[in-house]
Amino acid sequence: MLRASTAVTIGVGATAAVIVAALVQGAGDDPLSTALSLAVPSKYKLLIEEAGTTCPEVSPNLLAALLTQESNFNPKARSPVGAQGIAQFMPSTWETHGVDGNGDGKRDVWDPEDAIPAAAGYLCDIAKDVRDVPGDKQSNMLAAYNAGSGAVHKYGGVPPYKETQNYVRSIRALADRPSVGGTSVTTIQAAAVVNAAQEMIGTPYSWGGGNANGPSTGSCCSPKGRSGASITGFDCSGLTLYAYAKAGISLPRTATQQYAASEPVKPGQARPGDLVFYGSSPTSIHHVGIYVGGGWMIDAPRPGTKVRFDPMDVMPDLFAVARPVPGNTKEI
């Protein structure tokens, strides 16, 4: 699992084929914020978001927390007692509850595309099995995932096993933390930001273009007189506004305003999803991009170009790297 500090080499002319998963830090180590104490590799994000709506007792956050606890998102994990894969299914349980999640004709416990939806489905089946047991339904469900439904029925709730109690407590502590309104964006949101920006690679630059819904026609005129009124696309801050909206976070429209809604990070501590600002002062910010790791960013550079990967030193006046704080706008 690559950490956020791992350098990622992206050649000039890199395309959307670059794997964003390599740009997101590993789970459980130095998370982007205290809002959620885990990171989700972006290659599993959609799987978790979709599987996390299988039943009311299972949420994406709870499923992500469970996978962190079980394997730290390692699809090759194998426990001393024989549990297998990213969701740590015992072979007998997989035989009963394994699914062909990706429709390739196989039920493969080592394939996250099968194991993640299977874990969610198994949790939902367990939730039904212990629905009449007194106490918190999610805690009973998690306890049954760890110790078996029989133990939960026997003890009328979370059984008095230290391992199971710690298991339930750890997962609930991770899953129940709010995803917005904390000190910063969460790792799940940061992955969504990078993914959204990457999907826009190749979109034309449009002065004043772009909003929370995607590319749009812009306005007139840039400092050099270029109009975006007839071009559907993004300018630099339109792209960042859109990418953050896809992660559920509202940013102001201009680069200067976006800097005011962010907290600068120290050199060497930039993480994927952070914003990269250019200018000579907080009030003269003229460009912004989205950091993706290894000294690279995704940005909408200038009229006549398209959304692309650029090195951070593409402009000489790098002012700051900063992390948006939901709901925060400081004076500048």
Side-chain angles (χ1 to χ4, degrees):
M1 192 73 68
L2 294 178
R3 306 298 176 190
S5 59
T6 303
V8 178
T9 302
I10 304 177
V12 175
T15 71
V18 174
I19 301 173
V20 178
L23 308 178
V24 180
Q25 64 179 45
D29 179 37
D30 193 23
L32 288 185
S33 77
T34 57
L36 186 62
S37 299
L38 73 161
V40 175
S42 60
K43 60 185 173 182
Y44 303 138
K45 179 177 178 292
L46 289 179
L47 286 170
I48 291 170
E49 288 182 341
E50 292 174 1
T53 61
T54 304
C55 65
E57 292 80 10
V58 178
S59 68
N61 273 354
L62 184 138
L63 182 58
L66 179 139
L67 296 173
T68 301
Q69 183 74 13
E70 290 288 350
S71 70
N72 201 22
F73 296 103
N74 179 7
K76 298 181 180 180
R78 186 192 298 269
S79 79
V81 297
Q84 300 173 335
I86 196 170
Q88 290 292 276
F89 276 98
M90 293 297 290
S92 59
T93 306
W94 182 257
E95 281 300 313
T96 305
H97 296 279
V99 301
D100 178 14
N102 57 9
D104 65 356
K106 297 183 295 183
R107 297 187 307 142
D108 186 357
V109 71
W110 305 107
D111 186 345
E113 292 184 358
D114 293 345
I116 290 175
Y122 183 38
L123 284 169
C124 292
D125 289 343
I126 291 173
K128 292 178 183 178
D129 190 33
V130 299
R131 64 179 177 272
D132 296 329
V133 177
D136 182 81
K137 293 184 181 299
Q138 282 189 328
S139 293
N140 288 341
M141 176 185 69
L142 292 169
Y145 193 94
N146 177 258
S149 298
V152 175
H153 281 288
K154 177 180 178 179
Y155 290 101
V158 179
Y161 309 150
K162 184 175 181 181
E163 175 190 337
T164 301
Q165 291 179 343
N166 288 339
Y167 179 88
V168 172
R169 188 180 302 114
S170 297
I171 292 176
R172 291 301 302 266
L174 292 177
D176 291 346
R177 290 179 179 178
S179 60
V180 294
T183 60
S184 184
V185 299
T186 69
T187 48
I188 291 177
Q189 291 169 322
V193 168
V194 176
N195 281 334
Q198 181 178 259
E199 290 173 357
M200 292 297 111
I201 295 289
T203 302
Y205 182 99
S206 175
W207 177 264
N211 54 45
N213 296 318
S216 68
T217 54
S219 58
C220 189
C221 287
S222 75
K224 293 186 178 182
R226 300 288 292 271
S227 175
S230 62
I231 303 172
T232 299
F234 293 104
D235 64 10
C236 64
S237 56
L239 175 65
T240 52
L241 184 154
Y242 165 74
Y244 267 84
K246 295 292 283 185
I249 297 173
S250 297
L251 289 183
R253 183 58 182 82
T254 70
T256 299
Q257 293 168 337
Q258 290 175 5
Y259 177 76
S262 306
E263 290 295 331
V265 299
K266 296 179 180 179
Q269 294 184 357
R271 296 161 176 163
D274 287 348
L275 296 180
V276 186
F277 294 96
Y278 297 81
S280 59
S281 71
T283 58
S284 65
I285 301 295
H286 63 84
H287 187 64
V288 60
I290 297 170
Y291 183 66
V292 296
W296 289 78
M297 65 180 177
I298 298 174
D299 66 333
R302 60 186 177 275
T305 65
K306 298 179 180 180
V307 176
R308 67 191 189 191
F309 289 99
D310 269 326
M312 289 174 61
D313 61 2
V314 68
M315 298 179 186
D317 57 346
L318 174 63
F319 180 73
V321 177
R323 194 165 300 148
V325 179
N328 176 59
T329 302
K330 58 181 178 288
E331 294 293 328
I332 59 174

